Amino acid sequence: MILVTGGAGYIGSHCVLALLEHGYDVLIFDNLSTGHIETVERLKKYGKVDFQKGDLTNISDINSVFRNYSIDAVIHFAAFSQVAESVKNPQKYYMNNVGGTMNLLSAMLEFGVKKIVFSSTAATYGEPVYIPIDEKHPQNPINPYGQSKLMIEKIMDDYDKAYNLRSVRLRYFNVAGADSQGRVGEWHEPETHLIPNILKSTFSGGQTFKMFGTDYDTKDGTCVRDYINIEDLAKAHILALEYLNNGGETNFFNLGTNEGNTVKEVFASCEKVTNKNIPVDVCPRREGDPASLVADNTKAKHVLQWLPEKSLEYSIDKAFEWEKILNSSILTTNSSK
Ligand code: UFG
């Protein structure tokens, strides 16, 4: 059985589906602080999924998981992930992200589980020195969120050397889209990400989309990001798990597409997919946004044989389908039955 921490969240839930499709049994461990019980209920329809509500900062919660289940490997998503919040409240990020991971690793050691796939981020690189960003790029995070993820990466290196606990750290760029069958999708409260915010503004009662910064040194003045489809991203986790199962050594990979799109290009794509003229409010820059972030994904292609396949437009189309589900409240109606 694979333990998935944070499996009720956006990226975790799509990875649970990918695991089920590959024949794995899954135990989701989640405190439901940002994830949703409705997501867990939906996942249970598609395979063997157990759920344990618990908090990684409480060592007895996580120890009891390893005591009660036979865990082969861990995929670790559970974390807070809002950059701006992490600047205002670093303690929350270090206590939960770093402290929680320390408890998880300690339970893994106690119960002899020696394989972990970890959800890391492009935010560990900080302000880019060159683009596209490969794995050799210096890691100098500029906010506590990125710093907390980098600390965990370093801890994992030490645990490999000392205890032979092997890890694969996946450094995500901008994750986009939803399950192609509409089973799960992106569901943050509040939502801060670009694509869902543009799409939400198309529904009645939605807020006007705010475009942050049109004076960057980029081709159209707006920020460039590398949008990786969520199902392509989930597939990389399966490959990382198989890599560890086949004896692969501790490693780290960028997950992105090698291509950048500006905020204005994403906006235009959303107008095309939704077939609507979307009102936009041009605002000053958002603090802490680097002008451009684009991945070099060569290493993941070579070592994991990973190939991202889905286009940005496809991701937006699936994200829009999901927003319709969220907006129609089908989820909450079903879960209360
Ligand atoms: N943006 C808007 N309006 C919005 C939301 C975003 O204009 O309502 C712009 C941002 O200013 C930025 C771009 O859209 O230029 C992308 O912003 P997102 O918030 O969607 O994504 P980020 O690039 O800020 O963040 C992502 C992940 C973080 C991770 C970071 C690493 O969501 O978890 O990449 O750089 F830390």
Side-chain angles (χ1 to χ4, degrees):
M1 181 168 250
I2 308 298
L3 169 62
V4 179
T5 74
Y10 172 42
I11 301 176
S13 60
H14 290 79
C15 285
V16 169
L17 282 178
L19 286 165
L20 297 176
E21 276 157 18
H22 284 80
Y24 292 98
D25 295 343
V26 174
L27 172 64
I28 295 174
F29 180 87
D30 200 303
N31 65 7
L32 299 180
S33 66
T34 54
H36 301 272
I37 191 64
E38 291 87 346
T39 302
V40 175
E41 297 305 330
R42 284 166 84 92
L43 291 170
K44 282 183 173 174
K45 291 186 207 150
Y46 304 104
K48 170 116 181 60
V49 177
D50 281 13
F51 174 59
Q52 180 85 50
K53 186 174 176 194
D55 198 307
L56 283 177
T57 58
N58 185 347
I59 188 127
S60 61
D61 282 5
I62 187 65
N63 273 335
S64 80
V65 163
F66 285 91
R67 202 171 298 117
N68 295 332
Y69 292 88
S70 173
I71 304 294
D72 303 306
V74 179
I75 308 187
H76 177 33
F77 299 98
F80 291 127
S81 64
Q82 287 191 33
V83 171
E85 183 189 51
S86 80
V87 175
K88 289 200 193 91
N89 192 357
Q91 174 164 263
K92 177 173 175 182
Y93 279 69
Y94 292 122
M95 293 280 277
N96 182 73
N97 295 4
V98 183
T101 304
M102 294 297 300
N103 285 341
L104 172 64
L105 293 176
S106 123
M108 288 175 69
L109 290 181
E110 190 174 332
F111 290 88
V113 178
K114 298 286 187 83
K115 289 174 284 188
I116 184 165
V117 177
F118 174 58
S119 168
S120 188
T121 168
T124 60
Y125 293 116
E127 196 65 49
V129 180
Y130 58 83
I131 282 179
I133 297 172
D134 59 17
E135 289 82 355
K136 295 193 184 89
H137 187 286
Q139 286 182 293
N140 291 312
I142 53 169
N143 52 63
Y145 166 64
Q147 193 69 260
S148 72
K149 292 281 183 171
L150 180 58
M151 284 177 180
I152 296 165
E153 288 210 22
K154 291 190 184 302
I155 290 166
M156 287 180 170
D157 276 333
D158 292 340
Y159 275 47
D160 181 7
K161 288 187 200 106
Y163 312 122
N164 198 24
L165 193 158
R166 290 176 297 127
S167 60
V168 170
R169 282 100 64 162
L170 299 175
R171 297 177 187 153
Y172 314 146
F173 282 67
N174 287 57
V175 187
D179 175 57
S180 48
Q181 297 171 49
R183 295 169 293 183
V184 288
E186 186 163 12
W187 187 2
H188 296 119
E189 287 162 358
E191 187 52 79
T192 61
H193 295 100
L194 177 64
I195 294 170
N197 274 355
I198 300 173
L199 297 174
K200 279 179 199 302
S201 73
T202 67
F203 294 100
S204 71
Q207 293 184 339
T208 305
F209 166 64
K210 291 187 166 67
M211 186 180 280
F212 298 129
T214 51
D215 58 350
Y216 287 94
D217 185 16
T218 58
K219 64 177 176 183
D220 63 17
T222 61
C223 288
V224 175
R225 293 290 182 272
D226 182 336
Y227 294 90
I228 175 72
N229 173 267
I230 183 74
E231 290 182 316
D232 283 340
L233 189 92
K235 249 190 320 186
H237 293 71
I238 306 297
L239 294 170
L241 186 63
E242 287 168 356
Y243 166 91
L244 288 174
N245 286 342
N246 292 332
E249 60 191 22
T250 286
N251 220 327
F252 41 87
F253 302 97
N254 287 342
L255 297 182
T257 66
N258 286 15
E259 276 175 38
N261 284 97
T262 65
V263 170
K264 281 186 178 168
E265 286 170 342
V266 172
F267 182 79
S269 237
C270 288
E271 287 198 314
K272 186 170 164 207
V273 167
T274 59
N275 200 22
K276 287 182 201 288
N277 281 321
I278 304 176
V280 51
D281 198 355
V282 174
C283 300
R285 292 181 179 198
R286 190 173 69 176
E287 210 180 323
D289 279 339
S292 294
L293 286 174
V294 180
D296 179 333
N297 65 13
T298 313
K299 188 177 170 192
K301 279 184 182 153
H302 284 168
V303 180
L304 296 179
Q305 310 293 312
W306 176 69
L307 204 61
E309 290 167 335
K310 298 188 162 81
S311 67
L312 173 62
E313 206 164 297
Y314 179 88
S315 295
I316 292 173
D317 185 45
K318 294 302 159 191
F320 188 45
E321 292 302 313
W322 174 252
E323 286 299 336
K324 288 182 206 160
I325 294 173
L326 271 187
N327 192 58
S328 67
S329 302
I330 288 171
L331 286 174
T332 39
T333 314
N334 280 349
S335 66
S336 60
K337 276 182 191 161

